[in-house]
Structure formats: structure tokens, C-alpha cells
Amino acid sequence: MLKLLIVEDERITRESLESLIPWEDLGISSIKSARNGQEALKVVENFAPDILLCDVRMPKMDGIEFSKHLKSLFPKCKIVFISGYAEKEYLLSAIHLNAIDYIEKPLDVEKITQTMKRVVELINKEREEEENKKRLMEYYNESFCYICSQIVQQLLKDEPDYDLLERYGMADFVSSHLIPIVGIVKWKKEETQTSVNDILRYIYQETFNKLGEENEIPFLFSFTSSNSFVAIFKRKDKIDDVKTREFVSLLKERLSKFCDISLAIGEPTHSSKIKSCLEEMGKFIHTKIFYHGFGSFYIYKSLKSNEEYKLPFNLEMYERFLKDDGVKKVKEEIERFCFWLKSNEYPNIEKVKNLFFEMVIIAYEIGKQRRITQRLDEDGRVQKWKEIDQKITLDEIREVLYETLDGIFDILNQRGNLNKKAYQIMKFIEENYFDKELTIQKIANHFYFSPNYLCAMFKKATGKTLNDYITEVRIEKAKELLKDDSIKLYEVAEKVGFSDPNYFSTIFKKKVGLTPSDFRERYYV
């Protein structure tokens, strides 16, 4: 049963409202009254009304001011104003307070009865919805991950079972603006023993605590494979991006404890279109990760079609270079080719993998001719294709090829111990590029060489000066960081070992041909 507070300064009107309306029949069992706003404030110290029936003009404190106080105490309380003055100022105030109605005097008993009946029905409906949501939360407490998975699986069907979704209390969710999100994860080694269900529970618990409103399910999350997931975020209206950004930030923060992550965010859509959206976004995020690796998130855009373009790599030239022991030239061509692929985001990833597989086969054929290795038999070819096909990024596939080339031609061993030491120096630089104090003297001290010997040995082994190689590594790392437009340019400079952002920009342009901001805009924005 509901509670009603009547605030009216005219005694006859106030008593008439208390006695002439069939409150019990309407479902209102407890009624209190007051003569003005100040008196009403004392009443609500010990009385929590569900409905306020309030005059607008009253002495000491008018109905508008009192209603503001009441709303701060009881936000769910429904307000109906009564007044003999239909003034614009009062009407606007009533609208701002989300008043249910504004009834003019002289009062009509039938009109008040019908209005209050409507208010009671609205309250009962809201309470029923809250009960449904509470029941849903109870379901979640019993088998949270299973239910979420079932709901997501339903939304991924061509024809979802909306009756089932309604039984789960998700009718309001699926009728809202839904933001589809697709992500790919790369598990950290120390977290491989953590079960998916444990991670799911952690994601829901931690994100709900930060984002969820009382008795409301703001999002769904489920893994669709061992390394991919979908999230569906409920947005209250189409223009509210703040909550979406907050949700994505929280999701990345929570998942980053377990894995590296990249994800794509789609446009608001209806539940009937969520399946097709997620399918297209899956292709999109796989392409982004293939070319740019993990760690970024993207706003989904339709993939451009470059299918008609021939891949700009000459296999005949590749074979000729290998036959002439020109592995260095081969790698230079491969680097140029990879840069083109990343810049253009060539959509046919299968075709790219096939091309790298052909390069591996050619390398083995030449190795056989040079009596360095055996020709790959059928099983060997299948195994090598699986190795390439299972790689997620272009950089990983390129490393498979480079390992094959280095293994077959035994470059490191042919150059002897000198080259092995140079390789160790290169690894040291790659692991410490962010150190602003990374100098030739510091590297020499680490390897117990004199600076002069270190520089001469490194130049002889690699064909590059030590400073040039340090700069090269830093610029490549900077390119990776520039993928994330949330990192400011001066922060990129600091993260790759430059203390002066202007000097970083000058060196970057000299090496790449573009300023850092132009590079980011051309390739990643």
C-alpha cells in the first residue's frame, strides 16, 4: 500500500481532499497533511511519501520549493501540483520537477481521482519492473556467467528467443540503444591457468561496482572463443557517449590484468541487428590487430576493399636475392612490403598469409639446392602452414619467415662470434630504448668494452653506427605508440627515451618523412 502527503494551505480544501477521495480503493492506505512547505518538511522527517499532492502558492514555503527539498530526500516520489494560478513560471517549474500533473482549482473530485489512479498505476508498474530486475539479479547470483552467456548467445542468433529474454528480465535491455563491442585478447603467461568463468565473474563484479545502477543491468559480456569476446552495452539515449567511454575504459582496465587487448566499438543499434554488426566488427578488429598488434581500441568503420589491387611483392626478385645470398636485401624488401600492408590494411589476410607461406617454401627449395637443408615434404608443408596460419599479427608471421631464413642460411654462425656479440647488443638496446641515459658509454660499461671498440665492432657486424641503431629502435617504438591517440605526443617522446619533444619531432621527420602528428593522422586516425 502507498503513502500520500497532502500540502495545502486552505483548510477546507485540505480536509476535502482527505475525506472525499476514495484513497483506500486507489491503494493508498496512509495519508498525512500539512498547511505549508515548512510544516511539511517536519512531517517527512518521519514519513516517506510515495505521492505528493501539493498546492503551488502557500505562505512561508511554496509548493515548488518544498518539492525540490522532497525530491532530494525521496527521488522516486511522484508529484501532482494543484493551483488556482496557471502561470507559466509555475508550469515550467513543475516540468523540471517531473511532476505527473498540474491540476487547476476549483478542484474536481473525479479528475483528481483519475489522476491519482494513473499515478498509482505508474508506481506499481515501476515497482514491478524493479522486482523483475531484482529477480534477474538473483538469477545472476546463482549462475551469473551461464545466464549472461545464454543471453548473449540468444542475441547472436538470427531469430532470438525474446520470450526467454523477457523471462530473464531483459526486455528493457534489448529494446534500448545497444552499443556492440568486439575484442581480441592475448593472454599473459602467468594468467593462463585462470579459468574463463573466474575472469567473467571478476569482470562483472568489478565493472558493476563502478558502472551499474541499482537493480539495472548496464551491459552483457561473454567470451565467444578462447581469445575473443563480445560486450553489449545499454545506452539510455543515442547521444550519451560519456557512459560508453566510461564502460570501455573500465573494461580495458579490468581485462588488462589478465591479457593484452584490442577492441572495436560500434554505433548504437537495435537488438535485431546486433548479430550482423558483431560479425562485421569481428572482421574489422581481426584486420586491425593483424596489421597493428594489440593495445588499441577503434571506432568501427566498414572495411575498405583493396581486393582488386595486386600485392606489391615480387617473388621472382625474392628468389633471385636468396640465390645470391642477399638475405639483407630480402629483408629490406619484406620490411617495405610490410609497411605497405600496414598502411593500406589489405583486407584479404588469407592471401597475405599464403604469400608468406610461398616465401618460406622458396627458402627451403633454395636451401635444398645449396645443400643447407632438406626439401619440405607434405607433412612439413602442412606443419609450416599451420605455424603461419595460427599467427594473429603480421609481425608474428614475418618473424616465422625471418627465423626460417636465418636458420636455413645460418647467418649468425657464418659471421662468427663477432655477430653474436652484436646481436646481444641489439637486444640490450631493444630492451632499454626508453632509458633517456642510454649512451654509448653506458652500453660499453654493460658489456665491458671500450667505447671505441664497441662502436667499431658494431659497425663492422651490422653496417650501422650504434647511435643510428638506437634512434632506429626508438622511432619504430614511437610508431607503435602513435597508434593510440590517447597518448600525447610529448608522452610518446618520453616513452621512447627523448627528453626534448621538439628534438624527437625533428628526428622522427628526418627518419620517417613525416612529423609524429602527421604520421598519426595519416595512418591511425
Side-chain angles (χ1 to χ4, degrees):
M1 300 294 279
L2 303 177
K3 297 177 182 180
L4 169 70
L5 174 60
I6 299 171
V7 186
E8 166 62 58
D9 62 325
E10 296 177 5
R11 181 180 60 81
I12 295 175
T13 303
R14 185 172 65 252
E15 292 176 354
S16 297
L17 286 171
E18 290 183 67
S19 60
L20 296 179
I21 309 297
W23 298 114
E24 289 281 349
D25 295 342
L26 292 173
I28 297 171
S29 60
S30 181
I31 303 171
K32 290 190 179 295
S33 62
R35 292 173 295 179
N36 55 59
Q38 281 190 358
E39 189 175 299
L41 280 177
K42 294 180 181 179
V43 172
V44 298
E45 289 178 1
N46 301 300
F47 184 74
D50 301 296
I51 306 169
L52 170 66
L53 184 58
C54 185
D55 194 359
V56 172
R57 282 194 174 186
M58 294 181 293
K60 297 184 179 180
M61 181 186 288
D62 65 27
I64 299 297
E65 187 177 350
F66 168 70
S67 297
K68 291 177 181 177
H69 284 290
L70 186 69
K71 274 289 188 180
S72 67
L73 296 171
F74 307 106
K76 295 181 180 180
C77 182
K78 307 302 179 189
I79 300 173
V80 176
F81 285 116
I82 53 179
S83 179
Y85 307 91
E87 296 181 7
K88 184 178 180 181
E89 179 185 348
Y90 291 135
L91 292 171
L92 287 174
S93 296
I95 291 170
H96 291 152
L97 287 164
N98 293 321
I100 303 299
D101 209 338
Y102 190 99
I103 304 173
E104 293 184 39
K105 295 180 180 179
L107 299 178
D108 180 273
V109 172
E110 181 61 28
K111 182 175 182 181
I112 293 176
T113 302
Q114 291 303 315
T115 299
M116 301 309 290
K117 182 180 180 181
R118 181 158 52 88
V119 174
V120 170
E121 288 174 350
L122 177 61
I123 292 173
N124 289 336
K125 182 180 178 182
E126 289 180 354
R127 289 185 173 182
E128 183 181 352
E129 289 177 352
E130 287 180 5
E131 284 300 315
N132 287 338
K133 289 173 182 176
K134 285 180 181 178
R135 283 197 295 271
L136 175 62
M137 293 306 297
E138 290 173 3
Y139 279 130
Y140 271 56
N141 289 335
E142 293 172 9
S143 185
F144 199 66
C145 298
Y146 173 77
I147 292 173
C148 289
S149 177
Q150 289 297 302
I151 294 170
V152 172
Q153 291 306 316
Q154 281 298 323
L155 291 173
L156 294 179
K157 289 182 177 180
D158 292 327
E159 297 182 5
D161 185 346
Y162 287 102
D163 289 337
L164 176 63
L165 295 175
E166 188 169 353
R167 288 199 297 275
Y168 281 141
M170 299 300 289
D172 179 60
F173 186 97
V174 298
S175 64
S176 303
H177 303 297
L178 301 179
I179 307 293
I181 299 170
V182 173
I184 307 295
V185 301
K186 185 177 182 181
W187 299 109
K188 296 176 181 178
K189 289 182 179 180
E190 63 270 22
E191 295 297 337
T192 54
Q193 301 302 316
T194 307
S195 74
V196 169
N197 281 343
D198 287 341
I199 294 172
L200 275 174
R201 278 191 288 271
Y202 173 78
I203 294 297
Y204 273 106
Q205 181 181 350
E206 292 296 310
T207 310
F208 261 117
N209 289 343
K210 290 283 187 180
L211 192 67
E213 298 177 9
E214 186 178 359
N215 300 324
E216 182 178 3
I217 307 299
F219 71 92
L220 292 170
F221 178 93
S222 180
F223 284 97
T224 52
S225 73
S226 61
N227 68 341
S228 63
F229 67 84
V230 299
I232 304 170
F233 179 65
K234 172 187 172 184
R235 199 162 74 176
K236 292 184 177 179
D237 58 69
K238 282 195 171 184
I239 61 172
D240 178 19
D241 284 328
V242 176
K243 280 286 186 182
T244 305
R245 290 196 296 270
E246 184 182 358
F247 171 66
V248 171
S249 296
L250 284 169
L251 188 61
K252 285 187 68 178
E253 180 185 331
R254 299 300 183 259
L255 277 172
S256 62
K257 176 181 177 182
F258 306 100
C259 56
D260 296 321
I261 174 177
S262 284
L263 54 82
I265 310 162
E267 290 291 322
T269 189
H270 186 265
S271 60
S272 61
K273 298 179 180 178
I274 204 79
K275 178 177 182 289
S276 58
C277 285
L278 290 170
E279 288 175 348
E280 288 302 311
M281 290 169 64
K283 299 174 186 175
F284 172 84
I285 193 63
H286 274 97
T287 300
K288 288 292 184 182
I289 291 173
F290 184 76
Y291 290 115
H292 307 301
F294 286 90
S296 300
F297 69 88
Y298 305 91
I299 304 300
Y300 168 71
K301 297 176 183 177
S302 297
L303 289 169
K304 58 186 178 180
S305 176
N306 289 339
E307 295 288 353
E308 68 272 18
Y309 297 144
K310 183 178 178 181
L311 289 172
F313 190 83
N314 190 327
L315 281 174
E316 292 181 358
M317 180 184 64
Y318 165 82
E319 185 173 359
R320 186 168 63 253
F321 283 160
L322 287 185
K323 287 180 176 178
D324 294 336
D325 292 338
V327 177
K328 182 178 178 181
K329 289 183 178 179
V330 164
K331 289 187 176 182
E332 289 173 355
E333 291 300 317
I334 291 170
E335 290 300 316
R336 278 192 283 270
F337 177 52
C338 288
F339 182 79
W340 182 91
L341 288 170
K342 292 179 179 182
S343 301
N344 290 275
E345 294 183 352
Y346 190 80
N348 193 336
I349 293 174
E350 191 77 8
K351 192 171 182 179
V352 174
K353 288 183 176 181
N354 276 318
L355 181 59
F356 273 85
F357 177 65
E358 287 186 59
M359 292 188 223
V360 169
I361 298 304
I362 290 172
Y364 271 98
E365 288 293 332
I366 294 173
K368 168 64 176 174
Q369 294 170 12
R370 302 285 295 277
R371 297 184 179 181
I372 298 171
T373 186
Q374 297 294 317
R375 181 183 289 111
L376 284 178
D377 59 15
E378 188 61 32
D379 288 341
R381 291 169 70 96
V382 169
Q383 224 28 58
K384 188 57 69 172
W385 167 250
K386 283 183 178 179
E387 184 181 359
I388 290 174
D389 192 42
Q390 288 171 357
K391 300 301 181 184
I392 297 176
T393 69
L394 177 63
D395 288 346
E396 291 174 340
I397 292 173
R398 179 184 56 192
E399 285 308 306
V400 171
L401 176 60
Y402 282 1
E403 287 172 7
T404 300
L405 293 173
D406 291 344
I408 290 174
F409 291 91
D410 202 17
I411 295 173
L412 294 179
N413 289 332
Q414 286 180 19
R415 292 182 177 176
N417 292 328
L418 184 67
N419 188 81
K420 289 180 181 179
K421 184 56 70 176
Y423 179 75
Q424 291 173 358
I425 294 167
M426 293 165 74
K427 289 285 287 182
F428 179 81
I429 292 169
E430 289 170 3
E431 292 170 356
N432 295 275
Y433 66 91
F434 52 84
D435 183 0
K436 295 182 180 63
E437 304 300 323
L438 184 64
T439 61
I440 291 175
Q441 183 65 58
K442 187 170 186 176
I443 297 170
N445 291 344
H446 180 81
F447 289 96
Y448 302 102
F449 291 146
S450 71
N452 288 339
Y453 175 79
L454 174 70
C455 291
M457 180 270 290
F458 189 86
K459 179 70 183 290
K460 182 177 180 181
T462 66
K464 301 177 182 179
T465 68
L466 204 54
N467 280 329
D468 281 345
Y469 186 73
I470 293 171
T471 300
E472 180 183 312
V473 171
R474 285 173 166 170
I475 294 301
E476 287 305 311
K477 297 297 182 182
K479 288 179 183 178
E480 292 296 313
L481 292 172
L482 287 168
K483 296 177 186 178
D484 188 348
D485 59 8
S486 69
I487 303 177
K488 295 180 174 58
L489 295 179
Y490 77 86
E491 292 176 329
V492 173
E494 290 178 352
K495 287 176 180 291
V496 297
F498 287 89
S499 55
D500 184 349
N502 293 326
Y503 180 65
F504 162 68
S505 184
T506 300
I507 294 298
F508 190 97
K509 185 173 182 180
K510 181 179 178 181
K511 296 294 183 180
V512 180
L514 297 169
T515 64
S517 57
D518 289 340
F519 181 87
R520 170 177 278 173
E521 183 175 350
R522 176 172 294 188
Y523 296 113
Y524 299 119
V525 176

